[in-house]
Amino acid sequence: MAFMDWGKAQFIEIIEWLDDSNDVLAWRFPVRNQEIKNNAQLVVRESQEATFVHEGQFADTFTPGTHTLSTRNMPILADLKGWKYGFESPFKSEVYFTNTRLYNDLGWGTSNPIMMRDADFGMLRIRAFGIYSIRVKDSKKFLKELVGTNGVYTKDDITEQLRKSLISKFTDALGEAKVPALDLAAHYDDLSDLLRQKMDPEFQTMGLECSKLFIENISLPEEVEAMMDKRTSVGMMAPVMGAYTQMQVADSVPLAAQNPGGLAGMGMGLGMGVGMGNMMGQQMGGAMGQMAQAPYPAGQAAPAPAKTVKEELTELKDLFDSQLITQAEFDKQRSAILSKHGMA
């Protein structure tokens, strides 16, 4: 009785794959020292395909469903084995299950910076990374090109090869697109589509399909990012450069007052602070235009217009009210202004 049970156990009656993993792309049904019984049941679940291999040659492939194995639904295998009138005895054959579901969020990225030529910054070293999704589209081609005789084939067996291919194709796509470094962020979708087009032939040769491919980020070297930040800061300061210059001049007046000789040592007196601020606050283009129209020989600067006693005293009063000079300095300079205008 025990001998009969052992002999019966050598014939396979149900062939199926209960996959509870998330990373197996192909699995070989164990048939070592066993034979498949006539009219055995083949159960292929959704997102699976089953392919028979006889002595190294591909035979029939089955899609999802429950199949009763017979010469009627196994024409290729029947021809390989020479079954002309059906088969009654058990037979040997390898059965490979492939997982045809979508594998999402596979990552890719540059392990080392890649070079790109940019019109603004010259040669740049950049890094990039993103995600992509694959599925098995042609089971026989996938088994032939990648799986071979492996009993189990996982996504980890292929992702490193795909990552290297993606980096190579990304470098080509970046060179063809000729997108300036400052505009890369606005062209992620275009670059992703171009990269997917370049990778599609390679996926097809492996029996795979790339369902989605995205570039998530392209980063520039830190020194280039610092330069871009500086350029942005300068652009933000341009509209208020005149006011900023006036502020700097005003801040320098108290420092000048601490020097030996005080503010009197400054070339244009105490009125220079406010006067210089007003002058620097003007647009450079307008100032240069006025100088070009001045009726003086080339190389000879026009003299500054003389100020009235009221203007000088008003400027002096503004400095005192702003607490930029002391009472003693105010009295001293007021006397000097009145004396200069013959009003002492």
Side-chain angles (χ1 to χ4, degrees), residues 59-114:
D60 305 275
T61 297
F62 293 85
T63 55
T66 300
H67 310 272
T68 300
L69 301 181
S70 64
T71 53
R72 183 178 59 186
N73 57 13
M74 303 181 69
I76 301 177
L77 186 61
D79 184 64
L80 291 174
K81 297 187 75 68
W83 294 329
K84 299 185 181 301
Y85 307 104
F87 68 97
E88 297 296 335
S89 61
F91 66 94
K92 288 185 177 182
S93 178
E94 294 180 322
V95 184
Y96 284 88
F97 284 88
T98 53
N99 200 331
T100 60
R101 74 173 182 85
L102 189 66
Y103 287 84
N104 284 312
D105 297 335
L106 302 180
W108 68 273
T110 54
S111 55
N112 296 306
I114 61 176

Side-chain angles (χ1 to χ4, degrees), residues 242-243 245-247 249-250 271-282:
T245 304
Q246 289 183 355
M247 182 184 69
V249 172
M272 182 178 178
V274 176
M276 183 65 73
N278 292 333
M279 181 186 70
M280 295 302 292
Q282 298 174 357

Side-chain angles (χ1 to χ4, degrees), residues 307-314 337-338 341 343:
K307 294 183 180 180
T308 64
V309 62
K310 182 179 179 181
E311 290 175 338
E312 292 192 30
L313 290 174
T314 299
I337 293 173
L338 293 176
H341 289 276
M343 300 175 61

Side-chain angles (χ1 to χ4, degrees), residues 128-145:
F129 63 87
I131 58 174
Y132 64 102
S133 302
I134 61 172
R135 72 166 81 241
V136 177
K137 184 178 182 180
D138 188 330
S139 293
K140 289 184 178 180
K141 187 177 291 186
F142 175 69
L143 293 171
K144 178 182 177 181
E145 299 297 333

Side-chain angles (χ1 to χ4, degrees), residues 268-303:
M268 296 181 65
L270 291 173
M272 182 178 178
V274 176
M276 183 65 73
N278 292 333
M279 181 186 70
M280 295 302 292
Q282 298 174 357
Q283 296 292 334
M284 184 61 71
M288 293 300 293
Q290 293 177 4
M291 291 176 64
Q293 297 174 6
Y296 289 92
Q300 182 176 345

